[in-house]
Amino acid sequence: MTISKSIGLRVVAITAVASSLVACGGGHHLAEYPFTNRTLAVVYIAPPAPELLTSYYDLGNSQNPLEAVVRGAADIAREREGRRAKARLDSAAARIDIPTVLAQRTLQRASRYLGTRPTTDENQADYLMEVRMERFGINAKADEATYLFTFAEAVLIDRRTGREIWNVNVHGRDRLTPYVQSSSPIPGSVIAAGTLGSVRVGDFQNALNELMDYSSTLITNELRAALRDVRN
């Protein structure tokens, strides 16, 4: 499934392309539970620090000595810019209340589809949706572009019994730098590294907010589809 949308990264003036992979658990029990006028709370399990994924340069991949030198220099530049970008991403992540952003957006959407009443009191709610953000960060491995990525899992639970009612695994990705295609022997990572260097902390902050919203939408859209199958 591929979804395209535009996000506001004004400084670098780019178009974001979001793609996702969604995997649902084997079967669910949504049809067995009443949700109308029951309460739902979202429990967010925070991720580790943002990751930086880069590929170290390999001069052995090229048969042309000059191209090997250029490619090696390009990969070194990408590594350097990637590490600088990670520091800015860390700063951006520190400015965002990721648990609150993701929990609020997921709670409102999930409650709308289930027919439950949203609550922030997880100890009194009838149902809990546990959202675990397993990984997120920068993927600067590809020559043609750099991406923000996230891996998340959501589980709907009957709070009183602890029974798992429904679950979904989500992989979300937002393109951060322009896609580059070129027949030139100079690799695209030169451009990717240069573009990554222009992304400021505020841009990363905007992108992470969009990525959290995107992850919430993916999770709740899958819930809505599962409920539609049950109710139709």
Side-chain angles (χ1 to χ4, degrees):
M1 176 174 61
T2 301
I3 303 173
S4 297
K5 66 175 182 177
S6 176
I7 67 174
L9 298 181
R10 293 184 177 87
V11 174
V12 293
I14 66 172
T15 299
V17 176
S19 62
S20 66
L21 298 174
V22 179
C24 293
H28 58 72
H29 306 283
L30 291 169
E32 302 173 27
Y33 288 85
F35 295 105
T36 303
N37 294 324
R38 305 296 175 92
T39 54
L40 172 71
V42 170
V43 180
Y44 182 88
I45 300 177
E51 296 180 42
L52 172 65
L53 305 181
T54 60
S55 57
Y56 289 95
Y57 59 93
D58 180 4
L59 299 183
N61 290 337
S62 176
Q63 300 299 319
N64 184 316
L66 178 60
E67 181 179 339
V69 171
V70 173
R71 183 170 295 278
D75 286 336
I76 292 172
R78 185 170 60 192
E79 286 293 317
R80 182 175 61 249
E81 290 298 340
R83 294 183 187 281
R84 291 173 179 172
K86 183 182 186 303
R88 295 193 297 274
L89 179 65
D90 289 342
S91 296
R95 298 180 182 183
I96 300 173
D97 188 350
I98 293 176
T100 298
V101 170
L102 190 59
Q104 287 178 344
R105 296 173 186 179
T106 304
L107 178 59
Q108 293 299 322
R109 291 181 178 127
S111 294
R112 184 161 58 247
Y113 300 143
L114 287 167
T116 52
R117 291 183 287 107
T119 179
T120 58
D121 189 348
E122 62 186 77
N123 295 317
Q124 297 298 321
D126 296 303
Y127 303 104
L128 299 176
M129 180 171 287
E130 183 180 280
V131 178
R132 181 188 299 272
M133 190 66 67
E134 297 175 353
R135 298 173 58 197
F136 76 112
I138 302 174
N139 186 338
K141 285 186 174 182
D143 283 346
E144 71 277 2
T146 301
Y147 295 89
L148 288 173
F149 68 91
T150 181
F151 291 83
E153 179 186 21
V155 181
L156 182 63
I157 301 169
D158 181 336
R159 185 189 64 82
R160 291 180 175 83
T161 66
R163 187 188 189 194
E164 184 175 304
I165 302 171
W166 171 87
N167 76 291
V168 66
N169 290 286
V170 169
H171 169 206
R173 185 176 72 166
D174 272 347
R175 184 178 295 168
L176 189 60
T177 54
Y179 186 86
V180 177
Q181 288 184 321
S182 174
S183 59
S184 169
I186 298 177
S189 57
V190 173
I191 300 175
T195 308
L196 187 60
S198 70
V199 181
R200 303 295 92 190
V201 173
D203 300 316
F204 279 127
Q205 189 172 346
N206 290 338
L208 286 174
N209 270 309
E210 289 290 335
L211 197 54
M212 296 305 102
D213 188 53
Y214 177 56
S215 298
S216 172
T217 299
L218 286 176
I219 291 168
T220 52
N221 280 352
E222 287 300 309
L223 175 62
R224 180 176 60 177
L227 287 167
R228 184 183 296 122
D229 290 340
V230 168
R231 293 166 176 171
N232 289 343

